[in-house]
Amino acid sequence: MEKELRERARELLESGEVGVVIGYGWNRRKRRTTPVFIRKPEEAERLVFNPLCVNNLSVYLTRKYPDIQKLGRAAIVAKGCDIKNIVVLMAEGQLKRDDVYIIGVRCNGVVYRQELWQGELRPEIMPVKCHNCDVREPHVADTVVGEPVLFTPPEEPVGMVFDKIREIDAMSPEERWQFWMDHFSRCIKCYACRQVCSLCYCERCITEKNMPQWIETSAHPRGNLAWNLIRAMHLAGRCTFCGECERACPVNIPLNIINQKLVLVVKDAFEHRSGYDPDTHPPLIVYDTEDKEDFIK
Amino acid sequence: MEKSLLKKEALQKLIDGVREKGGRFVAPSILARQVVYREVDCADQMVHDYIVPRNSIKEFLFPQTEPILRFRLMREGVEVEDVRVEPERTVFFGVRPCDAASCGAVRKVFTWDYIDQFYTRREDSSVMMTIACTSSDDECFCTTVGVSPEGKEGADLLLKETVDGDYLVEAVTDRGRAFVEEFKDVFTEPDGAELKAVATPEPIEGVNIDNIIGFLKDRSHYNSEIWAELARKCVGCGACTFTCPTCRCFDMVDEGTYIEGERRKNWDSCQFDSFTLHASGHNPRDTQFKRWRNRFMCKFNFYPVKFSARGCVGCGRCIRVCPVRLDITEVMIEVSEAARDV
Amino acid sequence: MSNIYMPYLATIEDMFEEAPGVKTLNLVFKDPKVRESFEFKTGQFGLYSVFGYGESTFCIASPETRKGYIQCTFRRVGRVTTALSELSVGDTIGFRGPYGNWFPVEEWKGKNILFIAGGIGLPPVRSVIWTCLDRREDYGDVTMVYGARTVDDLVYKEELRHWEDRDDLTLIKTVDPGGEKEGWDGEVGFVPTVLEEAGPGAENTVCVICGPPVMIKFSLSVLERLGFRDDDVYTTLENKMKCGVGKCGRCNVGDVYICKEGPVYTAAQIKKMYNDF
């Protein structure tokens, strides 16, 4: 697959169709992968794809990266799950289909975190999104590389996140509050969750607005709760459950639980699944007379 | 008695002793599936098999958020109340030599002319029990920046693990000696047990710190194209700066109601766009690579040259937590190379 | 001094509207001992706080020669300056300072002084102007070029009239083309252009310049043509600050901490700095 990937990248750069290929490469010790920006055809050899390629590179397509945009039209190496975010960017008018050349990669799953890799992709080290993946064959792409993948996601989603959601749903409001306050208490306000998210593309985040100060910036329980709630709310109906925020969190806050809960709520209320159709707007930013009103009691 | 023995069975007695005198005992422990330095009250909460804890000890000396004054708005004006830190003694057990070495750097900034007593009072009332490293990982690079995995810098007591799991204790400072004296019923005579081998990371090939400093000091390299190249993938979060033991930048904010509130000192990061943003909209570091360049400059130029201190102790946290694996050692290699080419 | 972040409390004794969005506050320290002992040097700055909103950094705009009060002039742009401008006479604010270095007015004795300022860049220069005017006999010719975008944007309008009336000072005031209005008796043109036309001599003269970066940039080349040495041209730099005492880490221009080693620099010093503006 890597041969195919490199060849495609080389052609794109040689023909001048793109100015940069955003993909994965090895780090110095060849034990971790890291984003690379390939600009010369001969550098296409640096591109790799393997289960360590966890990053969702679509973040580099957002307007937060004017320096990358200056490199010219971009091609991006994207797994199906990453493509979902590109689709949302298109749905939200952040990107036109022609702005980006998508090199879709057929994927057999990645690791939850690169440190877990010991040479073999075992189910225990894969994130929940991979166990339920319905886009191992990339759903929107200009070209697709890799061997066809034989995988059918389970009818009912499986994985720890879903178990945990059921567990939390069964809690009393007090227990639930305590559960989240315990986790949020560790937040150090590094905003890694926001920065790796390609859907957190605001140039000025609400936490940076201080007239008035909507969110207290201190990393005390009140400020941490406010930040984590606002982050979740701003992603409701948009989040594709790519898992980047949880992966990036240096203090292990289980953000995937919040995100998946939001995905379920939105699916239930609006029959909307984020990241599949570039022509459908996220439900919370549009008004639809057909919207359910069963929340009005 | 310069050397003594701390039996692993005696740890609980030490913890109890410190706590009975109103102190806190901070040691590596598990929290949310990570090893972190945190306050413990029981030896069972401690872990002994760890490389570098996720957090650095700075959060105990320079908390993420702390009030620095309180105010109350009244009809006849404003009442402002000073917040004085009267810290309890903190005993740091199991501190890695890299972390202990970082305190000197942070102190230099907090005592540069004006003295920030929020920091100095806490540091002055702490006891640093460093343990030499017996394991390391790919990210450890202390030896590359001149820190030793059995170094005494910043330590009051240097501990080395024996094959039995006890600790051979060497007093480094007077404070350390006094501590052993104070708890002499806990520390015993060395029993001559063999020591575990110290894990010394290989210095990274191709890095030359003097060349890096020289390159950075030359102002003409500030506009070099390498910075945009090297930092292109940086997403601009604060994970590296917040876990770094020598990063100590902060913000000051007022919080509260219309009637009363407090002014707080909060960790801030030079990687944030808002860090240097003027109210007018002008931003001297308006793109991410400029912010990343500033951090690298701070570590390998401002700290060593301006403050004669270590900007980087090689703990490797910034590499481990970086969501895009922007590896500072890779940049060090590139800059060393660029310096050679000049 | 145990808590370096504790401000003095000061009462707003008076407040003036200088230009749209620009105000001057007259501040008197509440503590009589502070009022008595407070001293500063022209060019130093302070952090002014509105409790509940935070602190903001401005130079002290009054001269070091006037005791018992200090003044600051600021434009309403952000959270703190907005809160400050909404306060009334009699309200209490916080002040920390004086911080930073100053203009070496002592060393300038016997020299001519050229002041150049643009828009809201006048307040720091004004502190130096009054300091020198209050010791007028110590200095030679005093010339001043001041410009703003429009007539309304000129600050210290009354003082400008006073300076115009004085015969021991030459004031050239100007507004940008299109910024003039009926009755305007000054020049029309950008500060660097007006400066070049006036062509003040560089002989035995120091220059103090403050204003928007673009004005400074073009004025510096004019000054060079007029024969000024970089060592004789002084300015004051601004950067975002929080602590004001060299700790918080954001005001550095390369390795230079504006709050501790600045804010006053010569053009020669600035040319040696990292390009981190």
Side-chain angles (χ1 to χ4, degrees):
Chain A
M1 161 199 274
E2 281 175 354
K3 191 162 168 274
E4 220 182 325
L5 173 66
R6 291 167 186 165
E7 218 132 86
R8 198 71 209 102
R10 191 181 307 113
E11 285 164 17
L12 285 166
L13 289 163
E14 261 164 10
S15 68
E17 207 175 321
V18 303
V20 59
V21 178
I22 306 172
Y24 306 92
W26 283 120
N27 76 337
R28 179 171 59 89
R29 294 184 199 262
K30 286 200 168 46
R31 286 211 265 245
R32 302 274 189 267
T33 66
T34 179
V36 291
F37 301 87
I38 306 294
R39 297 166 66 193
K40 295 186 191 127
E42 62 272 20
E43 287 172 357
E45 290 308 304
R46 288 178 60 203
L47 289 170
V48 299
F49 189 78
N50 56 51
L52 291 170
C53 298
V54 287
N55 288 63
N56 184 340
L57 302 174
S58 65
V59 67
Y60 296 121
L61 299 176
T62 65
R63 57 178 148 139
K64 286 204 286 196
Y65 296 86
D67 286 355
I68 291 175
Q69 281 164 5
K70 275 186 217 143
L71 303 177
R73 186 174 179 237
I76 187 166
V77 179
K79 312 180 286 289
C81 50
D82 307 333
I83 292 170
K84 286 187 189 174
N85 287 46
I86 302 176
V87 167
V88 179
L89 288 174
M90 289 193 282
E92 296 183 355
Q94 295 302 309
L95 204 59
K96 287 196 278 296
R97 182 64 190 86
D98 291 339
D99 292 344
V100 58
Y101 186 99
I102 304 174
I103 306 176
V105 285
R106 294 194 179 93
C107 174
N108 280 302
V110 290
V111 290
Y112 171 69
R113 278 197 176 146
Q114 294 201 57
E115 304 86 87
L116 298 170
W117 180 252
Q118 282 173 329
E120 189 194 355
L121 188 64
R122 289 170 289 115
E124 313 88 84
I125 61 168
M126 288 162 67
V128 167
K129 70 169 175 180
C130 293
H131 294 301
N132 300 292
C133 183
D134 57 1
V135 288
R136 292 198 176 190
E137 176 71 31
H139 57 305
V140 179
D142 293 282
T143 188
V144 175
V145 298
E147 297 296 313
V149 177
L150 299 170
F151 176 80
T152 326
E155 247 352 57
E156 277 300 308
V158 294
M160 234 160 50
V161 169
F162 294 93
D163 301 341
K164 204 76 201 172
I165 288 174
R166 276 188 290 274
E167 199 182 299
I168 297 166
D169 283 348
M171 288 178 183
S172 69
E174 293 76 23
E175 289 170 326
R176 210 179 296 167
W177 174 261
Q178 204 46 54
F179 175 86
W180 286 114
M181 288 310 274
D182 279 351
H183 280 299
F184 294 154
S185 71
R186 295 195 304 278
C187 179
I188 53 173
K189 291 267 175 106
C190 69
Y191 300 115
C193 48
R194 176 185 75 193
Q195 295 304 111
V196 289
C197 178
S198 49
L199 303 182
C200 270
Y201 51 67
C202 292
E203 280 142 314
R204 196 121 189 244
C205 176
I206 190 165
T207 58
E208 284 151 9
K209 293 182 181 160
N210 62 8
M211 295 173 72
Q213 186 82 48
W214 297 102
I215 308 285
E216 285 177 331
T217 53
S218 303
H220 49 39
R222 214 171 49 222
N224 288 348
L225 175 73
W227 161 244
N228 280 278
L229 284 184
I230 206 92
R231 189 203 68 85
M233 288 313 292
H234 283 188
L235 285 161
R238 306 172 59 231
C239 174
T240 65
F241 193 55
C242 77
E244 280 290 85
C245 50
E246 179 169 307
R247 183 183 67 81
C249 181
V251 298
N252 281 357
I253 297 175
L255 296 168
N256 279 346
I257 299 176
I258 306 173
N259 297 336
Q260 184 55 244
K261 178 67 187 176
L262 284 172
V263 168
L264 293 172
V265 168
V266 170
K267 193 172 158 214
D268 188 46
F270 303 101
E271 279 139 37
H272 176 82
R273 294 191 312 155
S274 186
Y276 291 86
D277 177 13
D279 297 321
T280 310
H281 293 296
L284 291 176
I285 61 170
V286 289
Y287 175 73
D288 188 341
T289 50
E290 299 298 305
D291 279 351
K292 282 191 214 167
E293 288 177 346
D294 56 1
F295 64 93
I296 304 170
K297 300 232 161 79
Chain B
M1 186 170 68
E2 270 313 276
K3 287 203 177 168
S4 55
L5 191 74
L6 176 61
K7 304 279 282 179
K8 57 175 180 285
E9 299 81 22
L11 277 171
Q12 187 61 51
K13 202 170 168 190
L14 183 65
I15 297 173
D16 292 342
V18 169
R19 290 171 58 83
E20 270 159 27
K21 293 186 175 177
R24 55 178 183 171
F25 196 88
V26 171
S29 175
I30 300 279
L31 180 69
R33 312 192 310 281
Q34 294 174 317
V35 177
V36 296
Y37 292 119
R38 65 169 174 151
E39 195 180 348
V40 297
D41 52 23
C42 172
D44 293 345
Q45 295 168 337
M46 293 164 58
V47 290
H48 303 276
D49 177 24
Y50 64 97
I51 297 170
V52 176
R54 183 265 293 159
N55 56 348
S56 78
I57 53 167
K58 83 172 171 198
E59 69 182 54
F60 298 93
L61 305 172
F62 165 40
Q64 271 168 61
T65 176
E66 71 175 313
I68 48 177
L69 61 88
R70 299 199 171 83
F71 53 84
R72 189 171 302 120
L73 277 60
M74 296 172 307
R75 196 187 299 274
E76 52 284 2
V78 182
E79 198 179 87
V80 179
E81 186 196 334
D82 191 357
V83 173
R84 229 181 129 74
V85 222
E86 303 290 355
E88 67 269 61
R89 171 164 69 181
T90 303
V91 175
F92 291 99
F93 180 89
V95 172
R96 288 303 181 205
C98 51
D99 281 338
S102 72
C103 294
V106 178
R107 191 178 183 98
K108 278 266 169 69
V109 176
F110 280 135
T111 56
W112 179 41
D113 191 354
Y114 295 88
I115 294 170
D116 181 321
Q117 296 195 349
F118 292 93
Y119 180 84
T120 55
R121 280 167 181 259
R122 288 200 183 87
E123 205 208 282
D124 291 343
S125 55
S126 68
V127 178
M128 211 66 77
M129 299 178 76
T130 301
I131 298 185
C133 298
T134 49
S135 57
S136 67
D137 63 12
D138 272 4
E139 285 77 25
C140 287
F141 65 99
C142 58
T143 50
T144 307
V145 291
V147 173
S148 160
E150 50 181 333
K152 295 176 188 169
E153 200 178 323
D156 292 310
L157 297 163
L158 176 66
L159 280 62
K160 286 184 178 170
E161 216 179 335
T162 71
V163 288
D164 306 327
D166 300 329
Y167 297 95
L168 184 68
V169 182
E170 182 186 347
V172 179
T173 62
D174 287 342
R175 200 187 296 172
R177 269 181 283 277
F179 185 76
V180 173
E181 184 56 30
E182 183 182 346
F183 293 97
K184 54 175 179 271
D185 52 333
V186 175
F187 295 92
T188 51
E189 280 295 316
D191 60 1
E194 199 185 324
L195 297 177
K196 282 190 182 170
V198 171
T200 308
E202 277 294 310
I204 292 169
E205 217 176 299
V207 174
N208 182 319
I209 300 292
D210 291 339
N211 285 356
I212 294 175
I213 295 177
F215 184 85
L216 300 183
K217 274 166 76 178
D218 183 338
R219 279 149 177 74
S220 69
H221 298 142
Y222 200 66
N223 297 322
S224 162
E225 281 173 16
I226 66 166
W227 299 114
E229 290 290 328
L230 291 171
R232 183 162 289 134
K233 61 187 169 189
C234 179
V235 291
C237 74
C240 51
T241 52
F242 286 180
T243 53
C244 175
T246 66
C247 276
R248 78 319 137 174
C249 289
F250 61 87
D251 190 11
M252 284 162 71
V253 296
D254 282 16
E255 281 180 357
T257 64
Y258 285 109
I259 306 159
E260 58 185 352
E262 53 196 16
R263 184 160 291 165
R264 304 184 79 93
K265 202 171 133 199
N266 289 339
W267 285 2
D268 203 350
S269 170
C270 63
Q271 298 306 295
F272 296 156
D273 164 61
S274 53
F275 189 66
T276 49
L277 180 67
H278 295 196
S280 66
H282 172 69
N283 192 348
R285 295 181 209 132
D286 55 354
T287 56
Q288 194 54 38
F289 86 84
K290 293 181 186 169
R291 302 191 270 273
W292 204 89
R293 177 181 61 190
N294 181 71
R295 181 165 190 270
F296 194 78
M297 278 273 170
C298 185
K299 301 295 173 209
F300 296 104
N301 180 3
F302 312 156
Y303 259 123
V305 178
K306 191 181 190 73
F307 296 108
S308 312
R310 293 186 182 287
C312 176
V313 293
C315 68
R317 286 191 181 88
C318 57
I319 311 173
R320 291 184 201 98
V321 298
C322 180
V324 295
R325 301 283 313 181
L326 208 180
D327 185 333
I328 198 164
T329 62
E330 292 182 14
V331 178
M332 289 161 74
I333 294 171
E334 296 283 341
V335 175
S336 301
E337 230 160 73
R340 246 196 316 276
D341 297 343
V342 178
Chain C
M1 185 217 49
S2 70
N3 182 348
I4 54 173
Y5 306 110
M6 273 295 277
Y8 300 126
L9 293 180
T11 308
I12 301 175
E13 292 271 296
D14 215 342
M15 118 186 254
F16 320 92
E17 187 97 31
E18 300 288 358
V22 179
K23 277 189 177 175
T24 293
L25 305 182
N26 241 13
L27 302 169
V28 174
F29 294 113
K30 293 216 172 205
D31 184 341
K33 270 187 277 174
V34 177
R35 214 178 304 159
E36 193 85 345
S37 61
F38 185 85
E39 280 189 357
F40 72 99
K41 301 269 200 186
T42 183
Q44 288 192 294
F45 67 92
L47 283 104
Y48 303 75
S49 52
V50 186
F51 295 97
Y53 294 86
E55 294 181 307
S56 199
T57 316
F58 331 112
C59 69
I60 301 172
S62 49
E64 63 179 59
T65 40
R66 315 269 172 101
K67 309 281 182 195
Y69 72 98
I70 55 169
Q71 288 182 322
C72 67
T73 301
F74 59 92
R75 190 167 48 192
R76 174 193 182 123
V77 270
R79 175 177 160 90
V80 179
T81 47
T82 301
L84 260 184
S85 66
E86 281 164 5
L87 294 177
S88 322
V89 170
D91 283 343
T92 305
I93 70 163
F95 174 88
R96 285 198 289 130
Y99 294 137
N101 69 352
W102 50 85
F103 291 98
V105 286
E106 294 285 311
E107 294 169 21
W108 299 345
K109 282 186 180 166
K111 294 192 177 191
N112 308 317
I113 308 179
L114 167 65
F115 295 104
I116 306 168
I120 190 74
L122 186 55
V125 178
R126 177 223 192 201
S127 171
V128 199
I129 295 173
W130 277 118
T131 300
C132 295
L133 289 181
D134 285 350
R135 300 170 184 147
R136 187 64 189 87
E137 64 288 358
D138 288 348
Y139 304 97
D141 294 342
V142 174
T143 311
M144 181 184 170
V145 180
Y146 175 52
R149 228 159 32 84
T150 69
V151 175
D152 287 341
D153 287 319
L154 294 162
V155 298
Y156 306 129
K157 294 187 181 68
E158 267 181 42
E159 279 169 44
L160 290 174
R161 268 190 292 278
H162 166 81
W163 291 333
E164 264 186 314
D165 291 344
R166 284 178 76 133
D167 49 17
D168 57 354
L169 175 144
T170 313
L171 170 68
I172 304 162
K173 57 181 188 185
T174 181
V175 291
D176 291 354
E180 66 272 27
K181 66 177 182 186
E182 233 184 282
W184 172 244
D185 56 352
E187 308 282 327
V188 175
F190 295 109
V191 168
T193 324
V194 173
L195 173 68
E196 185 138 40
E197 280 164 11
E203 184 62 32
N204 193 34
T205 305
V206 293
C207 172
V208 175
I209 179 168
C210 198
V214 60
M215 180 209 91
I216 293 191
K217 190 179 156 198
F218 288 104
S219 300
L220 285 180
S221 17
V222 173
L223 289 170
E224 211 176 304
R225 283 199 289 279
L226 292 173
F228 280 84
R229 290 168 46 237
D230 285 344
D231 287 326
D232 292 329
V233 178
Y234 293 81
T235 190
T236 166
L237 292 179
E238 274 186 0
N239 239 352
K240 185 167 173 177
M241 289 181 196
K242 287 285 181 175
C243 73
V245 288
K247 315 291 179 214
C248 79
R250 57 169 59 57
C251 72
N252 64 311
V253 173
D255 59 344
V256 173
Y257 278 65
I258 302 292
C259 68
K260 290 262 291 109
E261 294 143 281
V264 176
Y265 296 94
T266 63
Q269 289 169 322
I270 290 176
K271 282 183 180 164
K272 282 191 208 137
M273 288 184 191
Y274 286 93
N275 181 21
D276 190 19
F277 296 99

